[in-house]
Amino acid sequence: MNINPIYEREHRVSTRSLKLSMAILIFNFIVAAVTLIEMNEVVDYARKTSIIDYTSFLQIFKIIIFLPAILLIFVAPSFISGSISDERQRGTLEILLTTKMTARSIVFGKFLSLFASIMLILVSQLPIMAILFLYGGISVLDIIKLVINFVVFVILIISMGIFCSSIVVKTSVATALVYSTVLGLFVGTLVLYFLAANSFMMNENNSLGILFIRFSKFVLLFNPLVSMDFLLSKIMGEDSSDILVSLFWYDNWFYINMVLDLLLSILLLALSIVKIKPHCKTWRKYGNSNL
């Protein structure tokens, strides 16, 4: 079985790096600390009142699911931003392209390596999350959907990072661009929706306000954090359908979001391949530069 040489090299380097080990340590420490603190409060309440509130355990589960996702938004770009730009700065990208390696295999190898590293961080937290499974209320189907949501979430972040890294030369610029893009999608879309919702509530008869809120809801379809929130809300028996146009969108939001995010990821990776091909203007301009 042939293994992508870029993936093999990057994976060996990343697994031996201090950055990945520190990320796993910090992620697990934060998640474990929050879990134990929240569970201790619930247990203390049960001791004082002799009442066990199982909804509180589901609320902790929601926090523990969102916490790694939020941490990844702020940490993952630092892992991804130099995926292509570092090769350009070191002058090794054009060397790779003169070998049998194609632009597609380079991007695919980088993607697999980053995906394996980030998923390793998330998988390391499963024992902590498994503690909450003891209290029930979470079905196997719910867990499968959350896993799929997380996988697509990671794929999207990596695809955005590789694309941003492929269109610039300096890693510092790529890092700023990746952070701006990631925060724009995962945080900016939520801010846009709340602004649209407030303007709509102030004047429900304004046609521009109606178009604005519809556009903001459409943009939210690309935000996997919203899909994750809907899944967790359904697990907890909460109703979040007020954020949507109709019950149809609420019931099918997860599937629509997953398809759109995967299509967007494929598009970004395809554009990254085009950007680093030798015939691309960007490569001709910076291919032989060590800037």
Side-chain angles (χ1 to χ4, degrees):
M1 180 174 144
N2 294 327
I3 300 177
N4 187 300
I6 296 294
Y7 164 73
E8 187 175 9
R9 185 196 69 180
E10 295 289 331
H11 185 63
R12 285 181 179 179
V13 173
S14 63
T15 51
R16 296 172 183 174
S17 67
L18 181 62
K19 182 187 289 187
L20 180 61
S21 301
M22 289 301 298
I24 293 175
L25 176 63
I26 293 172
F27 267 63
N28 281 277
F29 175 78
I30 294 175
V31 174
V34 172
T35 303
L36 294 176
I37 291 172
E38 293 292 332
M39 289 184 65
N40 184 61
E41 291 183 359
V42 174
V43 172
D44 283 344
Y45 177 79
R47 287 174 179 173
K48 293 176 181 178
T49 62
S50 299
I51 298 174
I52 300 177
D53 185 8
Y54 287 99
T55 306
S56 300
F57 290 108
L58 291 177
Q59 187 67 44
I60 297 173
F61 180 74
K62 185 175 183 178
I63 295 172
I64 298 308
I65 290 294
F66 265 109
L67 189 57
I70 295 172
L71 290 174
L72 274 180
I73 291 175
F74 293 98
V75 175
S78 64
F79 283 90
I80 305 167
S81 58
S83 55
I84 303 296
S85 59
D86 276 350
E87 300 285 356
R88 279 206 180 98
Q89 282 190 273
R90 293 194 300 261
T92 54
L93 180 60
E94 61 269 22
I95 297 175
L96 287 173
L97 291 171
T98 58
T99 64
K100 293 182 179 180
M101 297 293 297
T102 62
R104 182 173 61 181
S105 61
I106 292 172
V107 170
F108 188 62
K110 295 283 187 179
F111 173 84
L112 284 180
S113 174
L114 291 167
F115 181 78
S117 298
I118 294 177
M119 289 306 297
L120 180 62
I121 297 174
L122 295 176
V123 170
S124 68
Q125 299 172 32
L126 287 179
I128 301 173
M129 297 181 183
I131 297 174
L132 297 170
F133 296 161
L134 298 174
Y135 299 97
I138 306 168
S139 67
V140 175
L141 181 60
D142 293 330
I143 296 174
I144 293 174
K145 285 185 175 181
L146 286 171
V147 170
I148 294 173
N149 204 141
F150 253 113
V151 170
V152 174
F153 170 67
V154 172
I155 290 174
L156 182 59
I157 288 183
I158 295 174
S159 302
M160 293 168 67
I162 291 178
F163 173 72
C164 293
S165 184
S166 68
I167 61 176
V168 298
V169 181
K170 294 185 178 181
T171 302
S172 57
V173 178
T175 303
L177 185 59
V178 175
Y179 271 108
S180 300
T181 307
V182 169
L183 291 175
L185 177 62
F186 297 115
V187 180
T189 53
L190 293 173
V191 174
L192 181 67
Y193 168 75
F194 288 119
L195 290 175
N198 289 332
S199 64
F200 177 75
M201 290 176 62
M202 292 176 62
N203 187 1
E204 296 183 2
N205 297 322
N206 187 357
S207 57
L208 290 177
I210 295 174
L211 291 175
F212 186 26
I213 194 169
R214 286 181 178 176
F215 172 75
S216 67
K217 290 177 180 178
F218 171 75
V219 174
L220 279 180
L221 280 168
F222 292 90
N223 191 337
L225 292 182
V226 177
S227 174
M228 196 178 297
D229 180 60
F230 289 162
L231 288 175
L232 293 170
S233 296
K234 287 182 179 181
I235 292 174
M236 298 181 64
E238 297 175 352
D239 183 15
S240 300
S241 58
D242 60 318
I243 199 171
L244 302 171
V245 177
S246 64
L247 187 61
F248 168 81
W249 292 99
Y250 178 61
D251 292 334
N252 298 281
W253 188 278
F254 169 77
Y255 305 102
I256 298 171
N257 178 255
M258 295 299 99
V259 172
L260 288 178
D261 283 346
L262 285 175
L263 290 176
L264 179 59
S265 300
I266 293 171
L267 176 62
L268 291 173
L269 291 175
L271 291 175
S272 301
I273 293 171
V274 172
K275 281 292 182 182
I276 69 173
K277 279 185 176 180
H279 61 74
C280 179
K281 291 181 180 179
T282 304
W283 192 90
R284 286 205 303 266
K285 184 177 180 181
Y286 301 111
N288 296 316
S289 172
N290 292 320
L291 295 179

